[in-house]
Amino acid sequence: MPLDRRFPLNSLRAFEAVGRHGHLRRAAEELNLTHAALSHQVRLLESELDCSLFSRVHNGMQLTAAGRRFLNVVQAALDALAEGVVHLDPAALAGELVIATTPTISINWLPGVIQVYVQRYPEVELHCATIEPHQRTLPARFDLALCLGAPEARGKVVTKLYQEYYFPVCAPKLVSAEQPVHQPRDLLDHTLLHERFQHWEEWFATHGIDRARGRGNIHFDYGFQSIEAARQGLGIVLADRLEVAADLRRGTLVRLLDQEMAVDEGIYLVSEPEASRTVRAQLFIDELQRYLRDLGVPPA
């Protein structure tokens, strides 16, 4: 392949979106393109490279070995390009960015994205607005929203960011030989931490257990409260993999069982269509996607 070969940016962005989602429809929704247009861009790129980047499997698009290698290159290149373009004109970044999100997201993992974002783009004045889990109607004014459950957002692009999967975690000091947890029923011998939208009853029911109350039970309104209580060693919490990904890496929480449970709702990103999206918003989306990739959280 000639080293001076040039590739259309639209084709590279189309490939990156399909590679990240593993699905044409979801990628098309994110880029606000038709299914046919996106498929055409991918095929053009494969033709130019003279290489198959995807295996078409049922309704999905599975990356080939060459596709996986190329995806890493393209993602790094697009990230560098986005940063480079903005740095040419820092004034384009100046202004507010309003992000609406739930309390648990805003406290448990979004600060990891915000920290890097504000360091890279100090010109942006960030505002975080609180919305409730499963809130269907969003505030009148926002640039981006991270929602638990798909909201009603006419005129906006609503993209499923990731699927929630729950499993039990606790502070390391609660793990002991005297009260081991080898199977789901063993959880009932411990204090369980509950919150409004948690799924202990569903968790136990999937394992043939008709009760969802432990030896002790502490109840909270929000997930971030129950997870913080788990960090403090107050009991066992049923948590989503993204909510506790950083804790598991640091060792402040440990996972108790291999079993995990998918829930009906997921986390959704709401934004303006790409053509009318501000540079500030697009760069935050890029940072968000990079953060999830680095944590190893697969896209929905």
Side-chain angles (χ1 to χ4, degrees), residues 222-270:
Y222 294 106
F224 78 89
Q225 295 168 322
S226 59
I227 292 172
E228 179 58 30
R231 294 186 187 112
Q232 299 300 322
L234 298 184
I236 298 173
V237 68
L238 194 62
D240 169 55
R241 58 186 176 180
L242 179 55
E243 293 174 341
V244 296
D247 286 284
L248 296 177
R249 284 188 171 187
R250 291 192 301 261
T252 49
L253 292 172
V254 294
R255 181 170 177 168
L256 294 176
L257 296 168
D258 291 335
Q259 296 96 327
E260 61 184 19
M261 180 184 70
V263 296
D264 293 336
E265 296 283 13
I267 300 299
Y268 289 79
L269 172 67
V270 183

Side-chain angles (χ1 to χ4, degrees), residues 74-195:
V74 170
Q75 287 176 334
L78 291 176
D79 289 343
L81 181 62
E83 290 184 33
V85 169
V86 170
H87 291 159
L88 292 176
D89 182 16
L93 271 174
E96 293 183 347
L97 180 66
V98 180
I99 302 173
T101 190
T102 66
T104 297
I105 291 175
S106 68
I107 289 176
N108 265 4
W109 60 266
L110 192 61
V113 183
I114 292 174
Q115 181 180 30
V116 177
Y117 181 82
V118 297
Q119 288 174 348
R120 289 184 173 176
Y121 313 112
E123 301 90 343
V124 180
E125 185 173 329
L126 204 60
H127 292 256
C128 292
T130 301
I131 58 175
E132 289 295 309
H134 305 285
Q135 181 172 321
R136 296 308 184 203
T137 303
L138 297 179
R141 179 177 172 270
F142 69 93
D143 298 293
L144 300 172
L146 290 164
C147 310
L148 176 59
E152 298 173 359
R154 184 173 298 178
K156 306 284 187 179
V157 177
V158 180
T159 306
K160 190 170 187 178
L161 194 61
Y162 77 95
Q163 174 64 49
E164 288 195 309
Y165 286 87
Y166 282 78
F167 47 77
V169 297
C170 69
K173 66 182 181 182
L174 288 190
V175 179
S176 67
E178 291 76 20
Q179 288 184 303
V181 176
H182 298 307
Q183 55 186 342
R185 186 173 295 276
D186 294 337
L187 295 169
L188 299 173
D189 296 328
H190 296 264
T191 296
L192 301 183
L193 305 174
H194 305 259
E195 52 101 349

